[in-house]
Amino acid sequence: MKSIPSPGPFGVEFYDMDVNQMSDVELDGIATAQNNDGVVFFRDQNLDCEQHIAFAKRWGKIVANRFFERVEEYPQIAVVRKEPKHRTVVGETWHTDHSYDAEPARGSILYAREVPSTGGDTLFANMYMAYDALSRGLKHTLRHLSAVHSSAHVFSAEAVRTNEHNDDRFHSGEQAIQRSIHPVVIKHPISGRKALYVNPDFTTHFDGWTEQESRPLLEYLYQYSTQDQFVTRFSWSPGTIAFWDNRAVMHKAINDYPTERRLMHRITLAGCALQGA
Ligand code: SIN
């Protein structure tokens, strides 16, 4: 298997490889790379929807997103789309997919179908590296905290409408009722490494603290964990897959192609309840 490190502090790009033909040995190699780096990429893939689903199932059970529009006839695949008429892009704030769930999604497999001529990159922040570099004192404080994560303020019908008038990319706003509490420092269920687990989109406050009390420390953690030394910027080409582990990285889509279209298909993999470190 051929691979190169991504430009940036982490991430591995595999090339000269067809994920439709991935052997068990290759799967093990990719799993190891993802365990170490949090995100892996595959260039020049040619997948129809069935093949995208088949690739995802090699890694585990699929959990469909409740709010995104879905590919017709393939409800397991969420559509991540921006048309020239849209002001916003899906996922343009730093976030961790499905952190509002009691068992947040393990990973996400995003496949680029159409990309703009320039721009439309995705940023990834490595939450292992961010945790490791914290001071001993702050690590100690954070390890005793849990945080509340919610879907309501992002995906309720009202929130979607406020974000973008007449947004046709989301549905089921009435189902935006999930609220879960997770440790602020998790022990990754596979690698065993410690990672920060809070994100600006879905984390509302520390458990037992008010939102107002929580905001300064949460803001500090977001600003701290998204510094350049922890962030990899990925530039897409059509046919590329990014496969990230939501327990190891946050991500954010860049909104810098106002007049162009970008179309991605995303499958999320089921996860498990998260344990504190
Ligand atoms: C997402 O937030 O899952 C989408 C990221 C992207 O479109 O780059």
Side-chain angles (χ1 to χ4, degrees):
M1 249 187 333
K2 295 182 190 159
S3 66
I4 48 167
S6 303
F10 64 94
V12 177
E13 273 188 51
F14 290 91
Y15 63 98
D16 280 358
M17 166 176 187
D18 177 358
V19 301
N20 293 319
Q21 313 287 334
M22 179 178 66
S23 68
D24 289 342
V25 173
E26 287 173 328
L27 186 145
D28 285 346
I30 294 162
T32 302
Q34 198 193 48
N35 245 343
N36 290 334
D37 281 53
V39 60
V40 293
F41 305 98
F42 306 88
R43 295 268 180 202
D44 303 319
Q45 302 301 311
N46 192 4
L47 300 183
D48 60 24
C49 290
E50 310 261 351
Q51 289 166 324
H52 190 179
I53 292 168
F55 176 64
K57 284 186 172 164
R58 298 283 304 269
W59 301 97
K61 197 168 149 248
I62 293 172
V63 59
N65 185 283
R66 301 173 190 84
F67 310 113
F68 288 24
E69 64 178 314
R70 295 170 180 184
V71 176
E72 220 180 312
E73 292 177 29
Y74 296 100
Q76 306 96 318
I77 304 180
V79 177
V80 175
R81 175 170 68 92
K82 183 194 169 294
E83 307 289 349
K85 69 172 182 178
H86 293 127
R87 275 186 302 108
T88 57
V89 304
V90 176
E92 70 179 63
T93 313
W94 282 106
H95 64 284
T96 308
D97 295 331
H98 301 196
S99 74
Y100 43 78
D101 281 337
E103 297 188 346
R106 158 195 169 162
S108 304
I109 302 172
L110 189 67
Y111 179 55
R113 295 206 167 271
E114 280 181 56
V115 298
S117 54
T118 56
D121 294 354
T122 304
L123 303 182
F124 295 90
N126 190 304
M127 302 303 264
Y128 291 143
M129 294 170 74
Y131 174 79
D132 288 346
L134 285 169
S135 69
R136 193 166 47 87
L138 189 48
K139 280 179 178 161
H140 180 78
T141 299
L142 295 177
R143 276 164 53 186
H144 292 90
L145 295 178
S146 294
V148 178
H149 300 244
S150 162
S151 62
H153 61 288
V154 181
F155 290 123
S156 67
E158 193 196 335
V160 168
R161 214 173 21 247
T162 307
N163 195 32
E164 177 136 355
H165 184 60
N166 275 340
D167 201 323
D168 51 351
R169 295 170 292 182
F170 301 98
H171 61 90
S172 315
E174 72 286 352
Q175 289 182 39
I177 50 171
Q178 298 74 30
R179 188 176 179 277
S180 295
I181 298 178
H182 304 295
V184 168
V185 181
I186 57 166
K187 181 173 180 212
H188 189 281
I190 303 170
S191 69
R193 289 176 67 184
K194 296 183 182 75
L196 271 179
Y197 194 78
V198 283
N199 70 87
D201 241 5
F202 301 124
T203 308
T204 54
H205 58 285
F206 296 115
D207 187 32
W209 298 29
T210 66
E211 292 194 14
Q212 195 181 13
E213 288 167 343
S214 305
R215 199 162 303 126
L217 181 50
L218 283 174
E219 286 300 330
Y220 172 75
L221 292 175
Y222 301 148
Q223 171 270 323
Y224 161 83
S225 57
T226 57
Q227 295 174 92
D228 287 352
Q229 77 240 46
F230 307 131
V231 171
T232 283
R233 181 175 186 130
F234 186 71
S235 294
W236 296 88
S237 44
T240 301
I241 296 173
F243 177 21
W244 62 86
D245 185 321
N246 285 304
R247 291 86 49 100
V249 298
M250 288 197 291
H251 61 284
K252 165 191 162 111
I254 306 283
N255 185 359
D256 61 354
Y257 51 102
T259 57
E260 292 193 65
R261 182 169 206 248
R262 181 174 180 269
L263 176 67
M264 320 290 270
H265 281 181
R266 195 184 82 184
I267 297 183
T268 30
L269 298 173
C272 56
L274 298 171
Q275 305 301 321

